[in-house]
Amino acid sequence: MPKFSANLGFLWADMPLAQAIRAAARAGFDAVECHWPAAEPKGDVRAALNETGLSLLGLNTSRGPAGDFGLSALPGRAAEARAAVDEAIALAEAFDAQAIHVMAGNSKGPAAHEAFLETLSYACAQTDRMILIEPLNAHDAPDYFLRDTAQAERILAELDTANARLMFDCYHVGRTEGDVAGRFRALLPRIGHVQFAAVPDRGAPDHGEVDYPPLFALFDQLGWDRPIGAEYRPAGATEDSLGWLADARRG
């Protein structure tokens, strides 16, 4: 049976992180993940994780100033990118987060590619925790450096570092590449974390172009045993959007 993680950047996003962790536990999630927890009271978050027994799977590096959407692939911004990595590692250590998503930022071209590789090499050398990269679809993030899984696969091959992995977001893959199941099969040796949402509206996974129950079954069949991240935007209260979770538990 699949295990699920609540992405608290989208689910219970109106709550402080500690309260959202407790809400995810009450709803029956197996783990949690978040985006940018730097402003959250660390003691409260640690207490909520300890109280619920939920693991924090991952968090992101800083988005940087408005419009950047990450710093790691921005030429000439290496010092800021490394500082963002250092901050994220410190937060991951404080919360015992398993992975760090290194955000590339809005850029393109060979200089951006080299900047991204340099930042990723630095991140991988600073920690044994998993370092994740995630392609974002061009509809939502038209200027983002990392555009599809083929580009991500080339970068990971060039980096050739054991703790660097792919964040496989079914939503982004579905919008950009279409064949979510086929891409998952092909990329499985590179994947460190999986996320999902309805395609194309990024809502709960009970509608849309991707039929999730058979996809979850495929993940199981292929041996994926880590929690899968629910990173969708609820149409209303998060609790009212969780029918898919009850169905998955029954199925």
Side-chain angles (χ1 to χ4, degrees), residues 149-238:
T149 57
Q151 182 191 8
E153 189 174 22
R154 291 192 298 270
I155 288 170
L156 290 171
E158 189 173 351
L159 188 64
D160 193 24
T161 305
N163 60 330
R165 312 286 285 182
L166 172 66
M167 176 114 75
F168 186 93
D169 190 317
C170 301
Y171 165 73
H172 289 297
V173 175
R175 295 218 66 185
T176 301
E177 302 170 59
D179 183 10
V180 177
R183 292 308 289 152
F184 183 85
R185 286 181 183 274
L187 293 162
L188 183 55
R190 295 280 192 195
I191 296 173
H193 185 47
V194 180
Q195 295 177 328
F196 62 91
V199 176
D201 68 0
R202 206 168 195 176
D206 53 7
H207 65 280
E209 298 170 8
V210 176
D211 188 6
Y212 275 105
L215 192 60
F216 294 153
L218 174 67
F219 295 164
D220 255 0
Q221 292 164 15
L222 294 176
W224 186 264
D225 60 0
R226 292 170 55 80
I228 308 164
E231 191 185 43
Y232 66 86
R233 293 190 176 96
T238 298

Coordinates of all heavy atoms in Angstrom, one line a residue, residues 149-238:
T149 N 12.5 16.5 -17.4 CA 13.3 15.4 -16.8 C 14.5 15.0 -17.6 O 15.5 14.5 -17.0 CB 12.4 14.2 -16.5 OG1 11.8 13.8 -17.7 CG2 11.3 14.5 -15.5
A150 N 14.5 15.2 -18.9 CA 15.6 14.9 -19.7 C 16.8 15.8 -19.3 O 17.9 15.3 -19.2 CB 15.3 15.0 -21.2
Q151 N 16.5 17.1 -19.2 CA 17.6 18.0 -18.8 C 18.1 17.7 -17.4 O 19.3 17.7 -17.1 CB 17.0 19.5 -18.8 CG 18.0 20.5 -18.4 CD 17.4 21.9 -18.2 OE1 16.2 22.0 -18.2 NE2 18.2 22.9 -18.0
A152 N 17.2 17.3 -16.5 CA 17.6 17.0 -15.1 C 18.4 15.7 -15.1 O 19.4 15.6 -14.4 CB 16.3 16.8 -14.2
E153 N 18.1 14.8 -16.0 CA 18.9 13.5 -16.0 C 20.3 13.8 -16.5 O 21.3 13.2 -16.0 CB 18.2 12.5 -17.0 CG 18.7 11.1 -17.0 CD 17.9 10.2 -17.8 OE1 17.2 10.6 -18.7 OE2 18.1 8.9 -17.5
R154 N 20.4 14.7 -17.5 CA 21.8 15.0 -18.0 C 22.6 15.7 -16.9 O 23.8 15.4 -16.8 CB 21.6 15.9 -19.2 CG 21.1 15.3 -20.5 CD 21.2 16.1 -21.7 NE 20.5 17.4 -21.6 CZ 19.3 17.6 -22.0 NH1 18.6 16.6 -22.5 NH2 18.7 18.8 -21.9
I155 N 22.0 16.6 -16.2 CA 22.7 17.3 -15.1 C 23.1 16.3 -14.0 O 24.3 16.4 -13.6 CB 21.8 18.4 -14.5 CG1 21.7 19.5 -15.5 CG2 22.3 18.9 -13.2 CD1 20.7 20.6 -15.2
L156 N 22.3 15.4 -13.6 CA 22.6 14.4 -12.6 C 23.7 13.5 -13.1 O 24.6 13.1 -12.3 CB 21.4 13.6 -12.2 CG 20.3 14.3 -11.4 CD1 19.1 13.5 -11.3 CD2 20.9 14.8 -10.1
A157 N 23.7 13.1 -14.4 CA 24.8 12.3 -14.9 C 26.1 13.1 -14.9 O 27.2 12.5 -14.6 CB 24.4 11.9 -16.3
E158 N 26.1 14.3 -15.3 CA 27.3 15.1 -15.3 C 27.8 15.4 -13.9 O 29.0 15.3 -13.6 CB 27.0 16.5 -16.0 CG 28.2 17.3 -16.3 CD 27.9 18.5 -17.1 OE1 26.8 18.6 -17.6 OE2 28.8 19.4 -17.2
L159 N 26.9 15.6 -13.0 CA 27.3 15.8 -11.6 C 27.9 14.5 -11.0 O 28.9 14.6 -10.3 CB 26.0 16.2 -10.8 CG 26.3 16.7 -9.3 CD1 27.1 18.0 -9.3 CD2 24.9 16.9 -8.7
D160 N 27.2 13.4 -11.2 CA 27.7 12.1 -10.8 C 28.1 12.0 -9.3 O 29.2 11.6 -9.0 CB 29.0 11.7 -11.7 CG 29.3 10.2 -11.5 OD1 28.4 9.4 -11.2 OD2 30.5 9.9 -11.8
T161 N 27.1 12.4 -8.5 CA 27.3 12.4 -7.1 C 26.2 11.6 -6.4 O 25.1 11.7 -6.8 CB 27.3 13.9 -6.5 OG1 28.2 14.6 -7.2 CG2 27.6 13.9 -5.0
A162 N 26.6 10.7 -5.5 CA 25.7 9.7 -5.0 C 24.4 10.3 -4.3 O 23.3 9.8 -4.4 CB 26.4 8.8 -4.0
N163 N 24.6 11.5 -3.6 CA 23.4 12.0 -2.9 C 22.6 13.0 -3.6 O 21.7 13.7 -3.1 CB 23.9 12.6 -1.5 CG 24.9 13.7 -1.6 OD1 25.7 13.8 -2.6 ND2 24.9 14.6 -0.7
A164 N 22.9 13.2 -5.0 CA 22.0 14.1 -5.8 C 21.0 13.2 -6.5 O 21.4 12.2 -7.2 CB 22.9 14.8 -6.8
R165 N 19.7 13.6 -6.4 CA 18.6 12.8 -7.0 C 17.6 13.7 -7.6 O 17.6 15.0 -7.5 CB 18.0 12.0 -5.9 CG 18.9 11.2 -5.0 CD 19.5 10.0 -5.7 NE 18.5 8.9 -5.8 CZ 18.8 7.7 -6.3 NH1 20.0 7.5 -6.8 NH2 17.9 6.8 -6.4
L166 N 16.7 13.1 -8.4 CA 15.6 13.8 -9.0 C 14.4 13.9 -8.2 O 13.9 12.8 -7.6 CB 15.3 13.1 -10.3 CG 14.0 13.6 -11.1 CD1 14.2 15.0 -11.6 CD2 13.7 12.6 -12.2
M167 N 13.7 15.0 -8.0 CA 12.4 15.2 -7.5 C 11.5 15.0 -8.7 O 11.4 15.8 -9.6 CB 12.2 16.5 -6.9 CG 10.8 16.8 -6.4 SD 10.7 16.9 -4.6 CE 11.3 18.6 -4.3
F168 N 10.7 13.9 -8.7 CA 9.8 13.5 -9.8 C 8.4 14.0 -9.4 O 7.7 13.3 -8.6 CB 9.9 12.0 -10.0 CG 9.1 11.6 -11.2 CD1 9.7 11.5 -12.5 CD2 7.7 11.3 -11.1 CE1 8.9 11.1 -13.6 CE2 7.0 10.9 -12.2 CZ 7.6 10.8 -13.5
D169 N 8.0 15.1 -9.9 CA 6.7 15.7 -9.6 C 5.8 15.3 -10.7 O 5.9 15.8 -11.9 CB 6.8 17.2 -9.4 CG 5.5 17.8 -8.9 OD1 4.4 17.3 -9.3 OD2 5.5 18.6 -8.0
C170 N 4.8 14.4 -10.5 CA 3.9 13.9 -11.5 C 3.1 15.0 -12.2 O 2.8 15.0 -13.4 CB 2.9 12.9 -10.9 SG 3.7 11.5 -10.1
Y171 N 2.8 16.1 -11.4 CA 2.1 17.2 -12.0 C 2.9 17.9 -13.0 O 2.5 18.1 -14.1 CB 1.7 18.2 -10.8 CG 1.3 19.5 -11.3 CD1 0.1 19.7 -11.9 CD2 2.2 20.6 -11.2 CE1 -0.3 21.0 -12.4 CE2 1.8 21.9 -11.7 CZ 0.6 22.1 -12.3 OH 0.2 23.3 -12.8
H172 N 4.2 18.3 -12.7 CA 5.0 18.9 -13.7 C 5.3 18.1 -14.9 O 5.3 18.5 -16.0 CB 6.3 19.4 -13.0 CG 6.1 20.5 -12.0 ND1 5.7 21.8 -12.4 CD2 6.3 20.6 -10.7 CE1 5.6 22.5 -11.3 NE2 6.0 21.8 -10.3
V173 N 5.6 16.8 -14.6 CA 5.9 15.9 -15.7 C 4.6 15.7 -16.6 O 4.7 15.7 -17.8 CB 6.3 14.5 -15.2 CG1 6.5 13.5 -16.3 CG2 7.7 14.6 -14.5
G174 N 3.5 15.6 -16.0 CA 2.3 15.5 -16.7 C 2.0 16.7 -17.6 O 1.5 16.6 -18.8
R175 N 2.3 17.9 -17.1 CA 2.0 19.1 -17.9 C 3.1 19.3 -19.0 O 2.8 19.8 -20.1 CB 2.0 20.3 -17.0 CG 0.9 20.3 -16.0 CD 0.3 21.7 -15.8 NE -0.3 22.2 -17.0 CZ -0.8 23.5 -17.1 NH1 -0.7 24.3 -16.1 NH2 -1.4 23.9 -18.2
T176 N 4.3 18.8 -18.8 CA 5.4 19.1 -19.7 C 5.6 17.9 -20.7 O 5.8 18.1 -21.9 CB 6.7 19.4 -19.0 OG1 6.5 20.5 -18.1 CG2 7.8 19.7 -19.9
E177 N 5.5 16.7 -20.2 CA 6.0 15.5 -21.0 C 4.9 14.5 -21.2 O 5.0 13.7 -22.2 CB 7.2 14.9 -20.2 CG 8.3 15.8 -20.0 CD 9.4 15.3 -19.1 OE1 10.0 14.2 -19.4 OE2 9.7 15.9 -18.1
G178 N 3.9 14.5 -20.4 CA 2.7 13.7 -20.6 C 2.7 12.3 -20.1 O 1.8 11.9 -19.4
D179 N 3.7 11.5 -20.5 CA 3.8 10.1 -20.1 C 4.3 9.9 -18.7 O 5.5 9.6 -18.6 CB 4.6 9.3 -21.2 CG 4.6 7.8 -20.9 OD1 3.9 7.4 -20.1 OD2 5.4 7.2 -21.6
V180 N 3.5 10.1 -17.7 CA 4.0 10.1 -16.3 C 4.5 8.7 -16.0 O 5.6 8.6 -15.4 CB 3.0 10.6 -15.4 CG1 3.5 10.5 -13.9 CG2 2.5 12.0 -15.7
A181 N 3.8 7.7 -16.3 CA 4.2 6.3 -15.9 C 5.5 5.9 -16.7 O 6.4 5.3 -16.1 CB 3.1 5.3 -16.3
G182 N 5.5 6.2 -18.0 CA 6.7 5.9 -18.7 C 8.0 6.6 -18.2 O 9.0 6.0 -18.2
R183 N 7.8 7.9 -17.9 CA 9.0 8.6 -17.4 C 9.4 8.1 -16.1 O 10.6 8.1 -15.8 CB 8.7 10.1 -17.4 CG 8.5 10.8 -18.7 CD 9.7 10.5 -19.7 NE 10.9 11.2 -19.2 CZ 12.1 10.8 -19.5 NH1 12.3 9.6 -20.1 NH2 13.2 11.5 -19.1
F184 N 8.4 7.8 -15.2 CA 8.8 7.2 -13.9 C 9.6 5.9 -14.1 O 10.6 5.7 -13.4 CB 7.5 7.0 -13.1 CG 7.8 6.5 -11.7 CD1 8.1 7.4 -10.7 CD2 7.9 5.1 -11.4 CE1 8.4 7.0 -9.4 CE2 8.2 4.7 -10.1 CZ 8.5 5.6 -9.1
R185 N 9.1 5.0 -14.9 CA 9.9 3.8 -15.2 C 11.3 4.1 -15.6 O 12.2 3.5 -15.1 CB 9.1 3.0 -16.2 CG 7.9 2.3 -15.8 CD 7.3 1.5 -17.0 NE 6.0 0.8 -16.7 CZ 5.9 -0.4 -16.1 NH1 7.0 -1.0 -15.8 NH2 4.7 -0.9 -15.9
A186 N 11.4 5.0 -16.6 CA 12.7 5.2 -17.1 C 13.7 5.9 -16.2 O 14.9 5.6 -16.2 CB 12.6 6.1 -18.4
L187 N 13.1 6.7 -15.3 CA 14.0 7.5 -14.4 C 14.1 6.9 -13.0 O 14.9 7.5 -12.2 CB 13.4 8.9 -14.3 CG 13.5 9.7 -15.6 CD1 12.5 10.9 -15.5 CD2 14.9 10.2 -15.8
L188 N 13.5 5.8 -12.7 CA 13.4 5.3 -11.3 C 14.8 5.3 -10.7 O 14.9 5.6 -9.5 CB 12.8 3.9 -11.3 CG 12.6 3.3 -10.0 CD1 11.8 4.2 -9.0 CD2 11.9 1.9 -10.1
P189 N 15.9 4.8 -11.3 CA 17.2 4.8 -10.6 C 17.7 6.2 -10.2 O 18.5 6.3 -9.3 CB 18.1 4.2 -11.7 CG 17.2 3.5 -12.6 CD 16.0 4.2 -12.7
R190 N 17.1 7.3 -10.8 CA 17.6 8.6 -10.4 C 16.7 9.3 -9.4 O 17.0 10.3 -8.9 CB 17.6 9.5 -11.7 CG 18.6 9.1 -12.8 CD 20.0 9.6 -12.4 NE 20.9 9.5 -13.6 CZ 22.2 9.6 -13.4 NH1 22.7 9.8 -12.3 NH2 23.0 9.4 -14.5
I191 N 15.5 8.7 -9.2 CA 14.5 9.4 -8.4 C 14.7 9.3 -6.9 O 15.0 8.2 -6.3 CB 13.1 8.9 -8.7 CG1 12.8 9.2 -10.2 CG2 12.0 9.5 -7.8 CD1 11.5 8.5 -10.7
G192 N 14.7 10.5 -6.2 CA 14.8 10.5 -4.8 C 13.5 10.8 -4.0 O 13.4 10.5 -2.9
H193 N 12.6 11.5 -4.7 CA 11.3 11.8 -4.1 C 10.3 12.0 -5.2 O 10.6 12.3 -6.3 CB 11.4 13.1 -3.3 CG 10.2 13.4 -2.5 ND1 9.5 12.5 -1.7 CD2 9.5 14.6 -2.4 CE1 8.4 13.1 -1.2 NE2 8.4 14.4 -1.6
V194 N 9.0 11.7 -4.8 CA 7.9 11.8 -5.8 C 6.8 12.7 -5.2 O 6.5 12.6 -4.0 CB 7.3 10.4 -6.1 CG1 6.1 10.5 -7.1 CG2 8.4 9.4 -6.6
Q195 N 6.2 13.5 -6.1 CA 5.1 14.4 -5.6 C 4.0 14.2 -6.7 O 4.2 13.8 -7.8 CB 5.6 15.8 -5.5 CG 6.6 16.1 -4.4 CD 7.1 17.5 -4.4 OE1 7.2 18.2 -5.4 NE2 7.4 18.0 -3.2
F196 N 2.8 14.7 -6.3 CA 1.7 14.6 -7.3 C 0.6 15.7 -7.0 O 0.5 16.2 -5.9 CB 1.1 13.2 -7.2 CG 0.5 12.9 -5.8 CD1 -0.9 13.2 -5.5 CD2 1.2 12.3 -4.8 CE1 -1.4 12.9 -4.3 CE2 0.7 12.0 -3.6 CZ -0.6 12.3 -3.3
A197 N -0.1 15.9 -8.1 CA -1.3 16.8 -8.0 C -2.1 16.5 -9.3 O -1.5 16.0 -10.3 CB -1.0 18.3 -7.9
A198 N -3.3 16.9 -9.4 CA -4.1 16.8 -10.6 C -3.5 17.6 -11.7 O -3.0 18.7 -11.5 CB -5.6 17.2 -10.3
V199 N -3.6 17.1 -12.9 CA -3.2 17.8 -14.1 C -4.5 18.1 -14.9 O -5.3 17.2 -15.2 CB -2.3 16.9 -14.9 CG1 -1.9 17.6 -16.2 CG2 -1.0 16.5 -14.1
P200 N -4.7 19.4 -15.4 CA -3.7 20.5 -15.3 C -4.0 21.5 -14.2 O -3.2 22.5 -14.2 CB -4.0 21.1 -16.7 CG -5.5 21.0 -16.9 CD -5.8 19.6 -16.3
D201 N -4.9 21.3 -13.3 CA -5.3 22.4 -12.4 C -4.5 22.4 -11.1 O -4.7 23.3 -10.3 CB -6.8 22.5 -12.2 CG -7.3 21.3 -11.4 OD1 -6.5 20.4 -11.0 OD2 -8.6 21.3 -11.2
R202 N -3.7 21.4 -10.8 CA -3.0 21.3 -9.6 C -3.9 21.1 -8.4 O -3.5 21.5 -7.2 CB -1.9 22.4 -9.4 CG -0.8 21.9 -8.5 CD 0.4 22.8 -8.5 NE 1.6 22.2 -8.0 CZ 2.8 22.7 -7.9 NH1 3.0 23.9 -8.3 NH2 3.8 22.0 -7.4
G203 N -5.1 20.6 -8.6 CA -5.9 20.3 -7.4 C -5.7 19.0 -6.9 O -4.7 18.3 -7.1
A204 N -6.7 18.5 -6.0 CA -6.6 17.2 -5.4 C -6.5 16.1 -6.5 O -7.1 16.3 -7.6 CB -7.8 17.0 -4.5
P205 N -5.9 15.0 -6.3 CA -5.7 14.0 -7.3 C -6.8 13.1 -7.6 O -6.7 11.9 -7.9 CB -4.5 13.2 -6.8 CG -4.7 13.2 -5.3 CD -5.2 14.6 -5.0
D206 N -8.1 13.6 -7.5 CA -9.2 12.8 -7.7 C -9.9 13.1 -9.1 O -11.1 12.7 -9.3 CB -10.2 12.9 -6.6 CG -10.6 14.4 -6.3 OD1 -10.2 15.3 -7.1 OD2 -11.3 14.6 -5.3
H207 N -9.2 13.9 -9.9 CA -9.8 14.3 -11.2 C -8.6 14.6 -12.1 O -7.5 14.7 -11.7 CB -10.7 15.5 -11.1 CG -10.1 16.7 -10.6 ND1 -9.7 16.9 -9.3 CD2 -9.6 17.8 -11.3 CE1 -9.1 18.1 -9.2 NE2 -9.0 18.6 -10.4
G208 N -8.9 14.9 -13.4 CA -7.9 15.4 -14.3 C -7.3 14.4 -15.2 O -7.9 13.3 -15.4
E209 N -6.3 14.7 -15.9 CA -5.7 13.9 -17.0 C -4.9 12.7 -16.5 O -4.7 11.8 -17.3 CB -4.8 14.8 -17.9 CG -5.6 16.0 -18.5 CD -4.7 17.0 -19.2 OE1 -3.5 16.7 -19.3 OE2 -5.2 18.0 -19.7
V210 N -4.4 12.8 -15.3 CA -3.6 11.6 -14.7 C -4.6 10.8 -13.8 O -5.1 11.3 -12.9 CB -2.4 12.1 -14.0 CG1 -1.7 11.0 -13.3 CG2 -1.5 12.9 -14.9
D211 N -4.7 9.5 -14.1 CA -5.5 8.6 -13.3 C -4.5 8.1 -12.2 O -3.7 7.2 -12.4 CB -6.0 7.5 -14.2 CG -7.0 6.6 -13.5 OD1 -7.3 6.9 -12.3 OD2 -7.4 5.6 -14.0
Y212 N -4.7 8.6 -11.0 CA -3.7 8.3 -10.0 C -3.8 6.9 -9.3 O -2.7 6.3 -9.0 CB -3.7 9.4 -8.9 CG -2.8 10.6 -9.3 CD1 -3.4 11.8 -9.8 CD2 -1.4 10.5 -9.3 CE1 -2.6 12.8 -10.2 CE2 -0.6 11.5 -9.7 CZ -1.2 12.7 -10.1 OH -0.4 13.7 -10.6
P213 N -4.9 6.3 -9.1 CA -4.9 5.0 -8.4 C -4.0 4.0 -9.2 O -3.2 3.3 -8.5 CB -6.4 4.6 -8.4 CG -7.1 6.0 -8.3 CD -6.3 6.9 -9.2
P214 N -4.1 3.8 -10.5 CA -3.2 2.9 -11.1 C -1.8 3.3 -11.1 O -0.9 2.5 -11.1 CB -3.8 2.7 -12.6 CG -4.7 3.9 -12.8 CD -5.2 4.3 -11.4
L215 N -1.6 4.6 -11.1 CA -0.2 5.1 -11.0 C 0.4 4.8 -9.6 O 1.6 4.4 -9.5 CB -0.2 6.6 -11.3 CG 1.2 7.3 -11.5 CD1 1.9 6.6 -12.7 CD2 1.1 8.8 -11.7
F216 N -0.4 5.0 -8.6 CA 0.1 4.6 -7.2 C 0.4 3.1 -7.2 O 1.4 2.7 -6.6 CB -0.9 5.0 -6.2 CG -1.1 6.5 -6.0 CD1 -2.4 6.9 -5.5 CD2 -0.2 7.4 -6.3 CE1 -2.6 8.3 -5.3 CE2 -0.4 8.8 -6.1 CZ -1.6 9.2 -5.6
A217 N -0.4 2.3 -7.8 CA -0.2 0.9 -7.9 C 1.1 0.5 -8.6 O 1.8 -0.4 -8.2 CB -1.4 0.2 -8.5
L218 N 1.3 1.3 -9.7 CA 2.6 1.1 -10.4 C 3.8 1.4 -9.6 O 4.8 0.6 -9.6 CB 2.6 1.9 -11.7 CG 3.9 1.9 -12.5 CD1 4.1 0.5 -13.1 CD2 3.9 3.0 -13.6
F219 N 3.7 2.5 -8.8 CA 4.9 2.8 -7.9 C 5.1 1.6 -7.0 O 6.3 1.3 -6.8 CB 4.6 4.1 -7.1 CG 4.4 5.3 -7.9 CD1 3.8 6.4 -7.4 CD2 4.9 5.4 -9.3 CE1 3.7 7.6 -8.1 CE2 4.7 6.6 -10.0 CZ 4.1 7.7 -9.4
D220 N 4.0 1.1 -6.4 CA 4.2 -0.1 -5.5 C 4.8 -1.3 -6.3 O 5.8 -1.9 -5.7 CB 2.8 -0.5 -5.0 CG 2.6 -0.1 -3.6 OD1 3.5 0.5 -3.0 OD2 1.5 -0.4 -3.1
Q221 N 4.4 -1.6 -7.4 CA 4.9 -2.7 -8.2 C 6.3 -2.6 -8.5 O 7.1 -3.6 -8.6 CB 4.0 -2.9 -9.5 CG 2.6 -3.3 -9.3 CD 1.8 -3.0 -10.5 OE1 2.3 -2.8 -11.6 NE2 0.4 -3.1 -10.4
L222 N 6.8 -1.3 -8.8 CA 8.2 -1.1 -9.1 C 9.1 -1.0 -7.9 O 10.3 -0.7 -8.0 CB 8.3 0.2 -10.0 CG 7.6 0.1 -11.4 CD1 7.7 1.4 -12.1 CD2 8.2 -1.0 -12.2
G223 N 8.5 -1.1 -6.7 CA 9.3 -1.2 -5.5 C 9.5 0.2 -4.8 O 10.3 0.3 -3.9
W224 N 8.7 1.2 -5.2 CA 8.8 2.5 -4.5 C 8.2 2.4 -3.1 O 7.0 2.1 -3.0 CB 8.2 3.6 -5.3 CG 8.4 4.9 -4.7 CD1 7.6 5.6 -3.8 CD2 9.6 5.7 -4.8 NE1 8.2 6.8 -3.4 CE2 9.4 6.9 -4.0 CE3 10.8 5.6 -5.5 CZ2 10.4 7.9 -3.9 CZ3 11.8 6.6 -5.5 CH2 11.6 7.7 -4.7
D225 N 9.0 2.6 -2.1 CA 8.4 2.4 -0.7 C 8.5 3.6 0.2 O 8.2 3.5 1.3 CB 9.1 1.2 0.0 CG 10.6 1.4 0.1 OD1 11.2 2.4 -0.3 OD2 11.3 0.4 0.6
R226 N 8.9 4.7 -0.4 CA 9.0 6.0 0.4 C 7.6 6.7 0.2 O 6.9 6.5 -0.8 CB 10.1 6.9 -0.1 CG 11.5 6.3 0.2 CD 12.6 7.1 -0.6 NE 12.5 8.5 -0.2 CZ 13.0 9.1 0.8 NH1 13.6 8.3 1.8 NH2 13.0 10.4 1.0
P227 N 7.3 7.6 1.2 CA 6.1 8.3 1.1 C 6.1 9.2 -0.2 O 7.1 9.8 -0.5 CB 6.0 9.2 2.4 CG 6.8 8.4 3.3 CD 8.0 7.8 2.5
I228 N 4.9 9.3 -0.8 CA 4.7 10.1 -2.0 C 4.1 11.4 -1.6 O 3.1 11.5 -0.8 CB 3.8 9.4 -3.0 CG1 4.3 8.0 -3.2 CG2 3.7 10.1 -4.3 CD1 3.3 7.1 -3.9
G229 N 4.6 12.5 -2.1 CA 4.2 13.9 -1.6 C 3.0 14.4 -2.2 O 3.0 14.7 -3.4
A230 N 2.0 14.7 -1.4 CA 0.7 15.4 -1.9 C 1.0 16.9 -1.9 O 0.9 17.5 -0.9 CB -0.4 15.0 -1.0
E231 N 1.3 17.4 -3.1 CA 1.6 18.8 -3.3 C 0.6 19.4 -4.2 O 0.9 19.8 -5.3 CB 3.0 19.0 -3.8 CG 3.5 20.5 -3.7 CD 4.8 20.7 -4.3 OE1 5.1 20.2 -5.4 OE2 5.6 21.5 -3.7
Y232 N -0.6 19.5 -3.7 CA -1.7 20.1 -4.5 C -2.4 21.2 -3.8 O -2.2 21.4 -2.6 CB -2.7 19.0 -4.9 CG -3.5 18.4 -3.7 CD1 -4.7 19.0 -3.2 CD2 -3.1 17.2 -3.1 CE1 -5.4 18.5 -2.2 CE2 -3.8 16.7 -2.0 CZ -4.9 17.3 -1.6 OH -5.6 16.8 -0.5
R233 N -3.1 22.0 -4.5 CA -3.9 23.2 -4.0 C -5.3 22.7 -3.7 O -6.1 22.6 -4.6 CB -3.8 24.4 -4.9 CG -2.4 25.0 -5.1 CD -2.5 26.3 -5.8 NE -1.2 26.9 -5.9 CZ -0.4 26.8 -7.0 NH1 -0.8 26.1 -8.0 NH2 0.8 27.4 -7.0
P234 N -5.7 22.6 -2.4 CA -7.1 22.3 -2.1 C -8.0 23.4 -2.6 O -7.7 24.6 -2.5 CB -7.1 22.2 -0.6 CG -5.7 22.0 -0.2 CD -4.9 22.7 -1.2
A235 N -9.2 23.0 -3.1 CA -10.2 24.0 -3.5 C -10.8 24.7 -2.3 O -11.3 25.9 -2.5 CB -11.3 23.3 -4.3
G236 N -10.8 24.1 -1.2 CA -11.3 24.7 0.0 C -10.5 24.3 1.2 O -9.3 24.3 1.2
A237 N -11.2 23.9 2.3 CA -10.5 23.3 3.5 C -9.7 22.1 3.1 O -10.2 21.2 2.3 CB -11.4 23.1 4.6
T238 N -8.5 21.9 3.6 CA -7.7 20.7 3.2 C -8.4 19.5 3.6 O -8.4 18.5 2.8 CB -6.3 20.8 4.0 OG1 -5.6 21.9 3.5 CG2 -5.5 19.6 3.7

